[in-house]
Amino acid sequence: VIGLLGTMLDNRGVKERWQKWRPTISIGQHDDLAVDRFELLCQDRNMALGEQIAQDFRQVSPETEFRIHRQELSKPWDFAAVYGELLDFAKSYRFDPENEDYLVHITTGTHVTQICLFLLVESRIIPARLLQTSPDKRDIAGDYDIIDLDLSKYDQLAERFTSERREGHHFLKAGIDTRNAAYNRMIEQITRVCERSTDPILLTGPSGVGKTRLARLIYEWKKKTGQVSGAFVELNCATLRGDAAMSALFGHKKGAYTGAIENRAGMLAAADGGLLFLDEVGELGQDEQAMLLRAIEEKRFYPMGSDTESTSDFQLICGTNRDLKQLIREGRFRQDLLARIDLWTFHLLGLKDRPEDIEPNLMYELENASRRLGKMVVMNREAKELFLRQAASPDAEWTSNFRDLAGAATRMAVLSDSGRINKELVAEEFSRLRESWHQESESDDLALVRSVLGDAADGLDLFDIPQLAQVIRVCRRSRTLSEAGRTLFAESFKKRKSTNDSDRLRKYLAGFGLSWKSVTE
Protein backbone atom coordinates (compact mmCIF):
# COMPACT_ATOMS: atom_id res chain seq x y z
CA VAL A 1 0.00 0.00 0.00
CA ILE A 2 1.19 3.52 -0.88
CA GLY A 3 -0.44 6.32 1.12
CA LEU A 4 0.02 9.81 2.49
CA LEU A 5 -0.04 10.73 6.15
CA GLY A 6 -3.40 12.23 7.10
CA THR A 7 -2.38 15.16 9.27
CA MET A 8 -5.95 15.62 10.48
CA LEU A 9 -7.66 12.21 10.46
CA ASP A 10 -4.57 10.19 11.41
CA ASN A 11 -3.77 12.59 14.26
CA ARG A 12 -6.15 11.70 17.09
CA GLY A 13 -3.89 12.60 19.99
CA VAL A 14 -2.16 10.17 22.33
CA LYS A 15 -4.79 8.95 24.78
CA GLU A 16 -7.84 8.75 22.49
CA ARG A 17 -6.18 7.46 19.36
CA TRP A 18 -7.33 3.88 19.86
CA GLN A 19 -10.94 4.91 20.39
CA LYS A 20 -11.25 6.76 17.07
CA TRP A 21 -11.05 5.70 13.43
CA ARG A 22 -7.77 6.57 11.75
CA PRO A 23 -7.66 5.93 7.98
CA THR A 24 -4.03 4.79 7.76
CA ILE A 25 -4.22 2.56 10.86
CA SER A 26 -7.56 1.11 9.73
CA ILE A 27 -5.86 -0.52 6.74
CA GLY A 28 -4.02 -2.87 9.10
CA GLN A 29 -7.16 -3.71 11.10
CA HIS A 30 -8.96 -5.78 8.44
CA ASP A 31 -8.46 -9.56 8.58
CA ASP A 32 -9.31 -9.85 4.87
CA LEU A 33 -6.79 -7.19 3.77
CA ALA A 34 -3.28 -8.54 4.28
CA VAL A 35 -0.61 -5.89 3.70
CA ASP A 36 2.97 -7.04 3.18
CA ARG A 37 4.48 -3.57 2.95
CA PHE A 38 3.22 -0.04 3.61
CA GLU A 39 4.95 2.97 1.99
CA LEU A 40 3.93 6.14 3.89
CA LEU A 41 4.69 9.53 2.30
CA CYS A 42 5.35 12.08 5.03
CA GLN A 43 6.59 15.68 5.14
CA ASP A 44 9.53 16.61 7.39
CA ARG A 45 7.41 18.76 9.70
CA ASN A 46 5.08 15.80 10.35
CA MET A 47 7.73 13.14 10.98
CA ALA A 48 6.85 12.80 14.68
CA LEU A 49 3.28 11.92 13.77
CA GLY A 50 4.54 9.63 11.02
CA GLU A 51 6.69 7.69 13.47
CA GLN A 52 3.72 7.34 15.84
CA ILE A 53 1.56 5.99 13.00
CA ALA A 54 4.30 3.53 12.00
CA GLN A 55 4.57 2.27 15.58
CA ASP A 56 0.78 1.90 15.90
CA PHE A 57 0.47 0.16 12.54
CA ARG A 58 3.04 -2.44 13.56
CA GLN A 59 0.92 -3.17 16.66
CA VAL A 60 -2.23 -3.93 14.64
CA SER A 61 -0.38 -5.66 11.79
CA PRO A 62 3.01 -7.03 12.99
CA GLU A 63 3.58 -8.89 9.71
CA THR A 64 3.57 -5.64 7.70
CA GLU A 65 6.86 -3.95 6.81
CA PHE A 66 6.22 -0.24 7.37
CA ARG A 67 8.41 2.35 5.61
CA ILE A 68 8.35 6.14 5.85
CA HIS A 69 9.38 8.24 2.83
CA ARG A 70 10.19 11.92 3.25
CA GLN A 71 8.03 13.65 0.62
CA GLU A 72 7.93 17.44 0.64
CA LEU A 73 4.65 18.59 -0.88
CA SER A 74 5.67 22.22 -0.54
CA LYS A 75 2.47 23.59 -2.11
CA PRO A 76 -0.25 21.04 -1.29
CA TRP A 77 -2.93 23.03 -3.18
CA ASP A 78 -0.83 23.75 -6.29
CA PHE A 79 -1.89 21.16 -8.87
CA ALA A 80 1.27 21.35 -11.00
CA ALA A 81 3.62 21.25 -7.99
CA VAL A 82 1.88 18.30 -6.30
CA TYR A 83 1.63 16.30 -9.51
CA GLY A 84 5.32 16.88 -10.27
CA GLU A 85 6.46 15.80 -6.80
CA LEU A 86 4.31 12.66 -6.80
CA LEU A 87 5.46 11.88 -10.35
CA ASP A 88 9.09 12.06 -9.18
CA PHE A 89 8.29 9.56 -6.41
CA ALA A 90 6.53 7.21 -8.84
CA LYS A 91 9.44 7.27 -11.29
CA SER A 92 12.01 6.60 -8.58
CA TYR A 93 10.06 3.72 -6.98
CA ARG A 94 10.94 0.21 -8.18
CA PHE A 95 7.59 -1.31 -9.03
CA ASP A 96 7.42 -5.05 -9.67
CA PRO A 97 3.85 -5.58 -10.91
CA GLU A 98 4.53 -9.15 -12.03
CA ASN A 99 5.23 -10.24 -8.45
CA GLU A 100 3.49 -7.61 -6.32
CA ASP A 101 0.00 -6.17 -6.13
CA TYR A 102 -0.14 -2.42 -5.34
CA LEU A 103 -2.85 -0.31 -3.74
CA VAL A 104 -2.82 3.51 -3.53
CA HIS A 105 -4.66 4.85 -0.46
CA ILE A 106 -6.67 7.85 -1.67
CA THR A 107 -8.55 8.82 1.50
CA THR A 108 -5.87 11.03 3.05
CA GLY A 109 -4.27 14.18 1.62
CA THR A 110 -5.79 17.30 0.02
CA HIS A 111 -8.27 17.10 -2.83
CA VAL A 112 -5.48 18.17 -5.18
CA THR A 113 -3.31 15.30 -3.94
CA GLN A 114 -6.16 12.84 -4.39
CA ILE A 115 -6.74 14.01 -7.96
CA CYS A 116 -3.02 13.70 -8.74
CA LEU A 117 -2.89 10.17 -7.31
CA PHE A 118 -6.01 9.29 -9.30
CA LEU A 119 -4.38 10.52 -12.53
CA LEU A 120 -1.10 8.70 -11.84
CA VAL A 121 -2.95 5.44 -11.27
CA GLU A 122 -5.34 5.94 -14.19
CA SER A 123 -2.39 6.57 -16.54
CA ARG A 124 -0.64 3.44 -15.16
CA ILE A 125 2.43 5.47 -14.16
CA ILE A 126 1.67 3.87 -10.81
CA PRO A 127 0.60 0.27 -11.66
CA ALA A 128 -1.96 0.02 -8.88
CA ARG A 129 -5.57 -0.05 -7.83
CA LEU A 130 -7.12 2.55 -5.56
CA LEU A 131 -7.87 1.88 -1.91
CA GLN A 132 -10.58 4.00 -0.30
CA THR A 133 -11.28 3.72 3.45
CA SER A 134 -14.21 5.13 5.41
CA PRO A 135 -15.38 5.15 9.06
CA ASP A 136 -18.13 2.94 10.46
CA LYS A 137 -19.70 3.59 13.89
CA ARG A 138 -20.05 -0.15 14.48
CA ASP A 139 -16.39 -1.02 13.91
CA ILE A 140 -13.22 0.97 14.70
CA ALA A 141 -11.64 -0.49 11.55
CA GLY A 142 -14.31 1.08 9.35
CA ASP A 143 -14.89 -0.01 5.74
CA TYR A 144 -12.74 -0.13 2.65
CA ASP A 145 -13.20 -0.39 -1.11
CA ILE A 146 -10.68 -1.40 -3.75
CA ILE A 147 -11.28 0.36 -7.05
CA ASP A 148 -9.75 -1.04 -10.23
CA LEU A 149 -9.47 1.77 -12.78
CA ASP A 150 -8.54 -0.63 -15.57
CA LEU A 151 -11.93 -2.29 -15.14
CA SER A 152 -13.73 1.07 -14.91
CA LYS A 153 -14.94 0.27 -11.38
CA TYR A 154 -14.59 3.79 -10.08
CA ASP A 155 -18.05 5.25 -10.48
CA GLN A 156 -18.25 6.32 -6.83
CA LEU A 157 -14.88 8.07 -6.90
CA ALA A 158 -15.61 9.79 -10.20
CA GLU A 159 -18.96 10.91 -8.84
CA ARG A 160 -17.22 12.31 -5.76
CA PHE A 161 -15.04 14.61 -7.85
CA THR A 162 -17.95 15.50 -10.14
CA SER A 163 -20.13 16.31 -7.14
CA GLU A 164 -17.48 18.62 -5.68
CA ARG A 165 -17.19 20.43 -9.00
CA ARG A 166 -20.98 20.84 -9.22
CA GLU A 167 -20.96 22.26 -5.70
CA GLY A 168 -18.23 24.73 -6.64
CA HIS A 169 -20.09 25.72 -9.82
CA HIS A 170 -23.24 26.46 -7.81
CA PHE A 171 -21.25 28.29 -5.12
CA LEU A 172 -19.48 30.63 -7.57
CA LYS A 173 -22.85 31.66 -9.01
CA ALA A 174 -23.95 32.71 -5.50
CA GLY A 175 -26.71 30.11 -5.76
CA ILE A 176 -28.37 31.98 -8.65
CA ASP A 177 -29.88 29.75 -11.34
CA THR A 178 -28.29 31.60 -14.25
CA ARG A 179 -29.56 30.61 -17.69
CA ASN A 180 -26.97 32.21 -19.97
CA ALA A 181 -24.98 29.39 -21.58
CA ALA A 182 -21.79 31.45 -22.03
CA TYR A 183 -21.82 32.58 -18.38
CA ASN A 184 -22.36 29.03 -17.13
CA ARG A 185 -19.45 27.76 -19.27
CA MET A 186 -17.25 30.51 -17.85
CA ILE A 187 -18.14 29.60 -14.24
CA GLU A 188 -17.46 25.92 -15.01
CA GLN A 189 -13.98 26.85 -16.24
CA ILE A 190 -13.34 29.08 -13.21
CA THR A 191 -14.36 26.19 -10.94
CA ARG A 192 -11.75 23.94 -12.54
CA VAL A 193 -9.09 26.65 -12.33
CA CYS A 194 -9.87 27.20 -8.63
CA GLU A 195 -9.45 23.47 -7.97
CA ARG A 196 -6.16 23.09 -9.78
CA SER A 197 -4.26 26.38 -9.96
CA THR A 198 -3.02 29.19 -7.74
CA ASP A 199 -1.96 31.37 -10.68
CA PRO A 200 -3.40 34.90 -11.03
CA ILE A 201 -6.87 35.34 -12.51
CA LEU A 202 -7.92 38.38 -14.57
CA LEU A 203 -11.60 39.38 -14.58
CA THR A 204 -12.63 41.83 -17.31
CA GLY A 205 -15.91 43.50 -18.17
CA PRO A 206 -17.78 46.78 -17.79
CA SER A 207 -18.49 48.42 -14.46
CA GLY A 208 -21.14 46.74 -12.33
CA VAL A 209 -20.99 43.24 -13.85
CA GLY A 210 -19.93 41.66 -10.55
CA LYS A 211 -16.14 41.35 -10.74
CA THR A 212 -15.72 42.14 -7.04
CA ARG A 213 -18.48 39.76 -5.99
CA LEU A 214 -17.05 36.94 -8.11
CA ALA A 215 -13.56 37.55 -6.69
CA ARG A 216 -14.95 37.28 -3.15
CA LEU A 217 -16.87 34.10 -4.02
CA ILE A 218 -13.68 32.58 -5.45
CA TYR A 219 -11.92 33.44 -2.19
CA GLU A 220 -14.72 31.96 -0.08
CA TRP A 221 -14.67 28.76 -2.14
CA LYS A 222 -10.90 28.46 -1.85
CA LYS A 223 -11.12 29.03 1.89
CA LYS A 224 -13.93 26.50 2.23
CA THR A 225 -11.85 23.87 0.42
CA GLY A 226 -8.70 24.68 2.40
CA GLN A 227 -6.70 26.31 -0.39
CA VAL A 228 -6.26 29.60 1.48
CA SER A 229 -6.27 30.41 5.17
CA GLY A 230 -5.61 34.14 5.16
CA ALA A 231 -7.84 37.14 4.53
CA PHE A 232 -9.58 38.55 1.46
CA VAL A 233 -7.90 41.91 0.78
CA GLU A 234 -9.43 44.29 -1.76
CA LEU A 235 -7.93 47.44 -3.27
CA ASN A 236 -9.35 49.72 -5.96
CA CYS A 237 -6.27 50.93 -7.81
CA ALA A 238 -8.18 53.85 -9.38
CA THR A 239 -8.38 55.56 -5.99
CA LEU A 240 -4.61 55.80 -5.46
CA ARG A 241 -1.76 57.75 -6.98
CA GLY A 242 1.96 58.23 -6.27
CA ASP A 243 3.25 57.54 -2.77
CA ALA A 244 -0.24 56.63 -1.58
CA ALA A 245 -0.39 53.79 -4.12
CA MET A 246 3.04 52.47 -3.18
CA SER A 247 2.24 52.64 0.52
CA ALA A 248 -1.17 51.01 0.16
CA LEU A 249 0.23 48.09 -1.81
CA PHE A 250 3.67 47.50 -0.32
CA GLY A 251 3.60 49.37 2.98
CA HIS A 252 6.15 51.89 4.25
CA LYS A 253 8.53 52.62 7.06
CA LYS A 254 8.06 55.61 9.30
CA GLY A 255 9.47 58.71 7.59
CA ALA A 256 9.54 57.15 4.10
CA TYR A 257 7.76 60.25 2.74
CA THR A 258 6.00 63.34 4.02
CA GLY A 259 3.04 62.19 6.08
CA ALA A 260 4.42 58.72 6.82
CA ILE A 261 4.30 59.17 10.59
CA GLU A 262 4.23 55.47 11.48
CA ASN A 263 5.00 52.07 9.94
CA ARG A 264 2.39 50.54 7.63
CA ALA A 265 2.27 46.90 6.53
CA GLY A 266 0.41 47.35 3.22
CA MET A 267 -2.12 45.24 1.32
CA LEU A 268 0.32 42.59 0.07
CA ALA A 269 1.41 41.80 3.61
CA ALA A 270 -2.22 41.71 4.78
CA ALA A 271 -3.02 39.16 2.03
CA ASP A 272 -0.31 36.70 3.11
CA GLY A 273 -1.83 33.22 2.97
CA GLY A 274 -5.03 34.68 1.51
CA LEU A 275 -6.25 36.37 -1.65
CA LEU A 276 -5.53 39.88 -2.96
CA PHE A 277 -8.09 41.45 -5.33
CA LEU A 278 -6.79 44.44 -7.28
CA ASP A 279 -9.74 46.12 -8.97
CA GLU A 280 -9.07 48.54 -11.86
CA VAL A 281 -5.52 47.22 -12.10
CA GLY A 282 -5.04 49.20 -15.33
CA GLU A 283 -4.92 52.39 -13.26
CA LEU A 284 -1.68 51.41 -11.48
CA GLY A 285 1.35 53.55 -12.18
CA GLN A 286 4.47 52.19 -13.89
CA ASP A 287 6.52 51.95 -10.68
CA GLU A 288 3.76 50.07 -8.87
CA GLN A 289 3.39 47.72 -11.85
CA ALA A 290 7.11 46.85 -11.76
CA MET A 291 7.08 46.10 -8.03
CA LEU A 292 3.85 44.12 -8.32
CA LEU A 293 5.34 41.94 -11.05
CA ARG A 294 8.27 41.01 -8.82
CA ALA A 295 5.96 40.38 -5.87
CA ILE A 296 3.84 38.01 -7.99
CA GLU A 297 6.82 36.08 -9.34
CA GLU A 298 9.05 35.97 -6.25
CA LYS A 299 6.62 36.65 -3.37
CA ARG A 300 9.07 39.30 -2.14
CA PHE A 301 9.00 43.10 -2.17
CA TYR A 302 10.49 46.14 -0.44
CA PRO A 303 8.19 48.41 1.62
CA MET A 304 8.80 52.10 0.93
CA GLY A 305 11.83 53.38 2.80
CA SER A 306 12.95 49.91 3.90
CA ASP A 307 16.19 48.07 3.12
CA THR A 308 14.69 44.79 4.31
CA GLU A 309 12.57 42.62 2.05
CA SER A 310 9.12 41.51 3.10
CA THR A 311 7.48 38.30 1.93
CA SER A 312 3.86 37.45 1.21
CA ASP A 313 2.48 34.24 -0.28
CA PHE A 314 -0.80 35.51 -1.67
CA GLN A 315 -3.09 34.46 -4.50
CA LEU A 316 -4.05 37.25 -6.89
CA ILE A 317 -7.18 38.24 -8.79
CA CYS A 318 -7.18 41.40 -10.91
CA GLY A 319 -10.19 43.22 -12.30
CA THR A 320 -10.47 45.83 -15.04
CA ASN A 321 -12.96 47.47 -17.36
CA ARG A 322 -10.13 48.82 -19.53
CA ASP A 323 -8.52 47.30 -22.60
CA LEU A 324 -5.10 46.47 -21.14
CA LYS A 325 -3.62 45.69 -24.57
CA GLN A 326 -4.60 49.16 -25.73
CA LEU A 327 -2.95 50.60 -22.60
CA ILE A 328 0.21 48.65 -23.52
CA ARG A 329 0.18 50.25 -27.00
CA GLU A 330 -0.16 53.64 -25.32
CA GLY A 331 2.81 52.86 -23.06
CA ARG A 332 0.66 52.93 -19.89
CA PHE A 333 0.76 49.26 -18.93
CA ARG A 334 3.60 46.75 -18.83
CA GLN A 335 3.53 43.91 -21.34
CA ASP A 336 5.34 41.56 -18.92
CA LEU A 337 2.82 42.25 -16.14
CA LEU A 338 -0.12 41.51 -18.42
CA ALA A 339 1.57 38.29 -19.52
CA ARG A 340 1.82 37.28 -15.87
CA ILE A 341 -1.74 38.10 -14.81
CA ASP A 342 -3.73 36.94 -17.85
CA LEU A 343 -2.94 33.23 -17.81
CA TRP A 344 -6.58 32.82 -16.79
CA THR A 345 -8.72 35.64 -18.21
CA PHE A 346 -12.50 35.63 -17.92
CA HIS A 347 -14.77 38.27 -19.46
CA LEU A 348 -17.97 38.99 -17.55
CA LEU A 349 -20.90 39.95 -19.77
CA GLY A 350 -23.07 42.95 -19.03
CA LEU A 351 -26.74 42.64 -18.11
CA LYS A 352 -27.91 43.61 -21.63
CA ASP A 353 -25.96 40.64 -23.00
CA ARG A 354 -27.60 38.29 -20.48
CA PRO A 355 -31.34 39.11 -20.74
CA GLU A 356 -32.31 35.56 -19.73
CA ASP A 357 -30.55 36.13 -16.40
CA ILE A 358 -32.53 39.23 -15.42
CA GLU A 359 -35.33 37.21 -13.79
CA PRO A 360 -33.20 34.92 -11.55
CA ASN A 361 -30.99 37.84 -10.51
CA LEU A 362 -34.06 39.96 -9.74
CA MET A 363 -35.42 37.21 -7.49
CA TYR A 364 -31.99 36.91 -5.82
CA GLU A 365 -31.85 40.65 -5.11
CA LEU A 366 -35.41 40.65 -3.73
CA GLU A 367 -34.44 37.84 -1.36
CA ASN A 368 -31.44 39.90 -0.21
CA ALA A 369 -33.69 42.93 0.29
CA SER A 370 -36.12 40.80 2.32
CA ARG A 371 -33.32 39.72 4.66
CA ARG A 372 -32.06 43.29 5.12
CA LEU A 373 -35.54 44.70 5.76
CA GLY A 374 -36.63 41.84 7.98
CA LYS A 375 -39.81 41.23 5.98
CA MET A 376 -40.90 39.03 3.10
CA VAL A 377 -40.99 40.99 -0.17
CA VAL A 378 -42.84 39.48 -3.14
CA MET A 379 -43.72 40.67 -6.64
CA ASN A 380 -47.10 39.73 -8.09
CA ARG A 381 -47.33 38.12 -11.51
CA GLU A 382 -48.42 41.26 -13.40
CA ALA A 383 -45.65 43.33 -11.83
CA LYS A 384 -43.04 40.70 -12.61
CA GLU A 385 -44.13 40.43 -16.25
CA LEU A 386 -44.04 44.23 -16.62
CA PHE A 387 -40.58 44.42 -15.03
CA LEU A 388 -39.16 41.78 -17.37
CA ARG A 389 -40.69 43.46 -20.46
CA GLN A 390 -39.28 46.83 -19.48
CA ALA A 391 -35.91 45.32 -18.53
CA ALA A 392 -35.49 43.74 -21.97
CA SER A 393 -36.73 46.75 -23.97
CA PRO A 394 -34.30 48.62 -26.27
CA ASP A 395 -34.33 51.73 -24.07
CA ALA A 396 -33.20 49.79 -20.97
CA GLU A 397 -29.57 50.86 -20.82
CA TRP A 398 -28.48 49.09 -17.59
CA THR A 399 -25.38 51.30 -17.65
CA SER A 400 -24.29 50.09 -14.21
CA ASN A 401 -25.39 46.53 -14.98
CA PHE A 402 -26.16 44.46 -11.88
CA ARG A 403 -25.69 47.48 -9.61
CA ASP A 404 -28.69 49.05 -11.37
CA LEU A 405 -30.69 45.85 -10.89
CA ALA A 406 -29.78 45.55 -7.20
CA GLY A 407 -30.66 49.21 -6.64
CA ALA A 408 -34.02 48.79 -8.39
CA ALA A 409 -34.90 45.74 -6.28
CA THR A 410 -33.94 47.53 -3.06
CA ARG A 411 -35.99 50.65 -3.86
CA MET A 412 -39.09 48.65 -4.83
CA ALA A 413 -38.78 46.51 -1.69
CA VAL A 414 -38.52 49.54 0.60
CA LEU A 415 -41.47 51.32 -1.04
CA SER A 416 -43.71 48.25 -1.16
CA ASP A 417 -46.71 48.22 1.17
CA SER A 418 -47.03 44.98 3.16
CA GLY A 419 -44.07 43.62 1.17
CA ARG A 420 -46.01 43.40 -2.15
CA ILE A 421 -44.53 44.99 -5.28
CA ASN A 422 -47.23 45.93 -7.82
CA LYS A 423 -47.27 47.28 -11.38
CA GLU A 424 -47.38 50.90 -10.21
CA LEU A 425 -44.13 50.49 -8.26
CA VAL A 426 -42.46 48.85 -11.27
CA ALA A 427 -43.56 51.70 -13.58
CA GLU A 428 -42.24 54.31 -11.11
CA GLU A 429 -38.92 52.48 -10.81
CA PHE A 430 -38.35 52.31 -14.56
CA SER A 431 -39.19 55.99 -14.88
CA ARG A 432 -36.48 56.67 -12.31
CA LEU A 433 -34.01 54.34 -14.08
CA ARG A 434 -34.59 55.90 -17.51
CA GLU A 435 -34.01 59.38 -16.17
CA SER A 436 -30.75 58.23 -14.59
CA TRP A 437 -29.65 56.45 -17.77
CA HIS A 438 -30.49 59.52 -19.88
CA GLN A 439 -28.34 61.75 -17.68
CA GLU A 440 -25.47 59.26 -17.80
CA SER A 441 -25.89 58.86 -21.57
CA GLU A 442 -25.60 62.59 -22.18
CA SER A 443 -22.40 62.72 -20.15
CA ASP A 444 -21.03 59.59 -21.83
CA ASP A 445 -21.90 60.87 -25.31
CA LEU A 446 -19.97 64.09 -24.80
CA ALA A 447 -16.98 62.24 -23.33
CA LEU A 448 -16.93 59.82 -26.28
CA VAL A 449 -17.13 62.59 -28.89
CA ARG A 450 -14.47 64.57 -27.05
CA SER A 451 -12.16 61.52 -27.07
CA VAL A 452 -12.24 61.65 -30.89
CA LEU A 453 -12.58 65.38 -31.68
CA GLY A 454 -10.83 66.87 -28.69
CA ASP A 455 -11.68 70.51 -27.95
CA ALA A 456 -13.52 70.73 -31.29
CA ALA A 457 -16.40 68.85 -29.62
CA ASP A 458 -17.28 72.07 -27.76
CA GLY A 459 -18.25 73.67 -31.06
CA LEU A 460 -20.92 71.08 -31.95
CA ASP A 461 -24.65 71.68 -31.74
CA LEU A 462 -26.32 69.77 -28.92
CA PHE A 463 -28.36 67.59 -31.28
CA ASP A 464 -25.19 66.53 -33.16
CA ILE A 465 -23.47 65.07 -30.08
CA PRO A 466 -25.72 62.03 -29.34
CA GLN A 467 -25.97 61.18 -33.06
CA LEU A 468 -22.22 61.32 -33.61
CA ALA A 469 -21.62 59.35 -30.38
CA GLN A 470 -23.93 56.57 -31.60
CA VAL A 471 -22.14 56.49 -34.97
CA ILE A 472 -18.77 56.17 -33.20
CA ARG A 473 -20.06 53.28 -31.06
CA VAL A 474 -21.36 51.39 -34.09
CA CYS A 475 -18.09 51.95 -35.97
CA ARG A 476 -16.07 50.55 -33.06
CA ARG A 477 -18.28 47.47 -32.82
CA SER A 478 -18.00 46.80 -36.56
CA ARG A 479 -15.18 45.10 -38.43
CA THR A 480 -15.38 47.21 -41.59
CA LEU A 481 -16.74 50.52 -42.84
CA SER A 482 -19.31 48.64 -44.96
CA GLU A 483 -20.58 46.65 -41.98
CA ALA A 484 -20.97 49.84 -39.93
CA GLY A 485 -22.83 51.51 -42.82
CA ARG A 486 -25.25 48.61 -43.17
CA THR A 487 -26.01 48.75 -39.43
CA LEU A 488 -26.53 52.53 -39.31
CA PHE A 489 -28.68 52.78 -42.43
CA ALA A 490 -30.55 49.48 -42.20
CA GLU A 491 -34.04 51.03 -42.27
CA SER A 492 -33.41 53.46 -45.10
CA PHE A 493 -31.77 50.62 -47.06
CA LYS A 494 -35.11 48.78 -47.13
CA LYS A 495 -36.71 51.74 -48.96
CA ARG A 496 -34.11 52.01 -51.74
CA LYS A 497 -33.23 49.63 -54.55
CA SER A 498 -29.53 50.40 -54.42
CA THR A 499 -27.29 52.29 -52.03
CA ASN A 500 -23.70 52.73 -50.95
CA ASP A 501 -23.91 52.82 -47.19
CA SER A 502 -20.14 52.86 -46.67
CA ASP A 503 -19.77 55.98 -48.85
CA ARG A 504 -22.67 57.61 -47.00
CA LEU A 505 -20.98 56.91 -43.67
CA ARG A 506 -17.62 58.13 -44.98
CA LYS A 507 -19.17 61.45 -46.00
CA TYR A 508 -20.95 61.79 -42.66
CA LEU A 509 -17.66 61.35 -40.76
CA ALA A 510 -15.85 63.70 -43.12
CA GLY A 511 -18.36 66.41 -42.18
CA PHE A 512 -16.78 66.40 -38.74
CA GLY A 513 -13.24 66.12 -40.08
CA LEU A 514 -13.12 62.40 -39.17
CA SER A 515 -12.19 59.22 -41.01
CA TRP A 516 -12.88 55.50 -40.39
CA LYS A 517 -9.32 55.08 -39.11
CA SER A 518 -9.42 58.03 -36.71
CA VAL A 519 -12.68 56.81 -35.19
CA THR A 520 -11.80 53.13 -34.79
CA GLU A 521 -8.14 53.48 -33.79
Side-chain angles (χ1 to χ4, degrees), residues 267-434:
M267 297 295 191
L268 266 67
D272 187 24
L275 191 147
L276 175 65
F277 174 55
L278 296 181
D279 198 11
E280 304 303 342
V281 69
E283 303 300 326
L284 278 179
Q286 291 285 334
D287 292 340
E288 292 82 24
Q289 292 176 35
M291 287 186 65
L292 177 62
L293 177 62
R294 181 170 182 263
I296 295 171
E297 293 180 335
E298 302 179 14
K299 306 298 183 184
R300 300 198 304 271
F301 57 92
Y302 283 98
M304 291 183 67
S306 174
D307 295 329
T308 305
E309 281 189 322
S310 295
T311 62
S312 178
D313 187 9
F314 59 91
Q315 296 186 36
L316 177 67
I317 298 179
C318 296
T320 184
N321 60 10
R322 305 287 297 275
D323 183 348
L324 296 183
K325 292 184 178 178
Q326 177 62 32
L327 294 183
I328 289 173
R329 290 191 288 270
E330 296 172 2
R332 297 167 59 190
F333 202 79
R334 294 177 63 104
Q335 174 74 56
D336 50 2
L337 178 57
L338 178 59
R340 190 66 184 85
I341 66 175
D342 78 341
L343 175 63
W344 302 110
T345 299
F346 300 99
H347 181 73
L348 277 66
L349 297 174
L351 191 57
K352 291 194 72 171
D353 297 317
R354 294 170 52 190
E356 61 271 71
D357 283 345
I358 293 177
E359 181 179 359
N361 277 277
L362 172 63
M363 295 299 101
Y364 173 79
E365 294 299 345
L366 289 177
E367 289 176 7
N368 286 342
S370 297
R371 283 193 293 271
R372 290 195 300 271
L373 297 173
K375 68 176 183 178
M376 177 62 69
V377 179
V378 296
M379 179 180 281
N380 66 38
R381 182 172 60 83
E382 293 82 4
K384 184 177 179 181
E385 289 175 351
L386 176 60
F387 188 97
L388 295 178
R389 283 199 307 273
Q390 298 282 4
S393 64
D395 62 344
E397 295 292 333
W398 297 116
T399 51
S400 294
N401 291 289
F402 292 94
R403 290 197 189 108
D404 280 346
L405 185 63
T410 298
R411 286 188 291 269
M412 290 188 298
V414 170
L415 294 174
S416 63
D417 292 328
S418 301
R420 294 187 61 82
I421 299 174
N422 55 31
K423 291 175 62 176
E424 289 72 23
L425 269 181
V426 171
E428 290 175 8
E429 178 56 32
F430 269 94
S431 177
R432 184 185 295 108
L433 285 170
R434 288 192 185 93

Side-chain angles (χ1 to χ4, degrees), residues 9 24 60 71 171 174 222 232 272 302 371 445 450 476:
L9 292 176
T24 299
V60 298
Q71 186 72 31
F171 188 93
K222 283 179 172 284
F232 177 82
D272 187 24
Y302 283 98
R371 283 193 293 271
D445 287 347
R450 193 185 297 278
R476 291 182 174 179

Side-chain angles (χ1 to χ4, degrees), residues 470 472-480 483 487 516 520:
Q470 184 63 14
I472 293 170
R473 291 188 183 98
V474 172
C475 288
R476 291 182 174 179
R477 289 199 303 264
S478 304
R479 291 170 295 181
T480 64
E483 180 183 327
T487 302
W516 168 258
T520 57

